[in-house]
Amino acid sequence: MIQLKTKEEIKLMYESAQIVSKTLGILTKEISPGVSLIHLDKIAEEFIRDQGAEPGFLGLYDFPNTLCMSPNDQVVHGIPNNYTLKEGDIISIDCGALKNGYYGDQAYTFSVGEVDSSIQKMMDITKQSLYAGIKKCKKGNCIGDISFAIQLICENAGYGVVRELVGHGLGKSMHEDPQVPNYGRKGSGARIDDGLVVAIEPMINLGTHKVKFHKDGWTVTTQDHKPSCHFEHDVAVVDGMPKLLTTYKYIYDALGVYSNEEDEFIFNP
């Protein structure tokens, strides 16, 4: 059952979402060759708690850490460990925070130094597909319209769209209805209305869409061991239109990058 949110609830969710976005911004400055995943995880936990929030993933379904950290051929849900980043790696960092009883949830795939041009292209197109999906998250459309927009861009570029893992509703629980697949048919799925809040998150592979679930109960990798990337935003439908609760602004500020990709989705609480 979909739990539509009031404007007051969306404002509370915005606060949680912004904490997650700021956390990713802090981590951006730390990502470099030789840095361990567990070091980044500790930085994130400390920052989130300093904001008066709790790490959203820590202990959720018994997950052992603050961040899901998934380098290279890991798709999602990687457990932070002593792996040290290397030049040319990519790493998806998925972060959650809980404040005022509501969750924020966001992911970004970072490059470590210079990455192969084919991998960079996959990342760019995946992020492009995220915003194409967000544009379809408006009153009167269906969830399948979001899914179709993402799938069309990524598969036309020759990438594998993961089937087994999907986006989701968000609120007082980290995972609520509806599920938001990254593949689907126009006009299918639940009807979108004001108050819907979803995490839209394309998970896209350079090769096959097929994945492998590992025995640790969390780690998911591509079956062909080619790289995968993951981008995620929290989106609320306000007055019929999609508004971003999360932002990549803090990441771009840390990188010294200008972007206007979020301008049409700015939420003013």
Side-chain angles (χ1 to χ4, degrees):
M1 180 176 164
I2 297 174
Q3 302 287 335
L4 299 177
K5 310 300 188 296
T6 66
K7 289 185 177 180
E8 289 70 25
E9 288 178 302
I10 291 171
K11 289 178 182 179
L12 292 174
M13 294 189 69
Y14 175 79
E15 187 174 346
S16 299
Q18 289 291 301
I19 290 170
V20 174
S21 298
K22 289 175 182 177
T23 304
L24 292 178
I26 293 291
L27 295 175
T28 305
K29 301 174 184 178
E30 304 292 332
I31 293 170
S32 62
V35 173
S36 72
L37 304 190
I38 197 68
H39 173 70
L40 295 173
D41 188 72
K42 290 177 180 176
I43 291 173
E45 179 177 359
E46 181 177 352
F47 180 78
I48 291 169
R49 294 192 187 281
D50 284 347
Q51 309 310 302
E54 298 176 17
F57 297 162
L58 183 61
L60 184 70
Y61 314 124
D62 294 324
F63 188 76
N65 291 87
T66 292
L67 302 172
C68 292
M69 307 188 75
S70 308
N72 301 319
D73 69 337
Q74 292 187 24
V75 181
V76 287
H77 300 163
I79 299 173
N81 54 28
N82 290 319
Y83 177 81
T84 56
L85 295 173
K86 298 175 177 58
E87 180 81 17
D89 281 351
I90 61 171
I91 181 162
S92 162
I93 301 183
D94 194 352
C95 181
L98 175 64
K99 188 172 184 180
N100 299 319
Y102 292 91
Y103 282 93
D105 181 19
Q106 186 179 34
Y108 190 90
T109 299
F110 297 86
S111 56
V112 184
E114 294 293 324
V115 303
D116 185 87
S117 60
S118 64
I119 297 174
Q120 184 62 56
K121 182 180 178 182
M122 172 188 65
M123 294 164 62
D124 292 343
I125 289 178
T126 299
K127 188 145 64 70
Q128 177 187 340
S129 79
L130 169 62
Y131 289 104
I134 291 168
K135 285 183 180 180
K136 298 297 183 181
C137 188
K138 58 185 179 181
K139 184 175 181 177
N141 278 359
C142 296
I143 295 297
D145 297 319
I146 300 171
S147 307
F148 178 82
I150 293 170
Q151 181 182 15
L152 182 66
I153 288 175
C154 293
E155 289 189 347
N156 279 351
Y159 304 129
V161 178
V162 175
R163 265 55 173 179
E164 293 88 344
L165 301 151
V166 298
H168 52 90
L170 189 70
K172 290 185 176 180
S173 298
M174 175 64 74
H175 298 107
E176 297 184 354
D177 290 334
Q179 291 191 346
V180 186
N182 296 305
Y183 63 97
R185 294 181 295 105
K186 289 182 180 179
S188 66
R191 186 74 60 180
I192 296 170
D193 205 349
D194 279 330
L196 178 73
V197 180
V198 289
I200 300 175
E201 50 179 322
M203 292 157 273
I204 306 300
N205 302 339
L206 188 63
T208 180
H209 71 273
K210 296 180 179 179
V211 298
K212 176 182 178 181
F213 291 82
H214 288 248
K215 292 181 179 179
D216 64 12
W218 290 105
T219 308
V220 183
T221 59
T222 58
Q223 280 196 10
D224 57 10
H225 300 294
K226 291 183 178 180
S228 178
C229 67
H230 175 210
F231 291 90
E232 177 182 21
H233 270 312
D234 298 343
V235 184
V237 181
V238 180
D239 298 328
M241 300 303 293
K243 300 296 179 181
L244 287 178
L245 305 184
T246 48
T247 180
Y248 289 147
K249 175 185 183 300
Y250 305 109
I251 293 173
Y252 295 152
D253 285 350
L255 293 173
V257 171
Y258 168 78
S259 173
N260 62 359
E261 64 193 10
E262 297 180 3
D263 285 0
E264 65 182 290
F265 309 116
I266 290 174
F267 174 61
N268 294 308

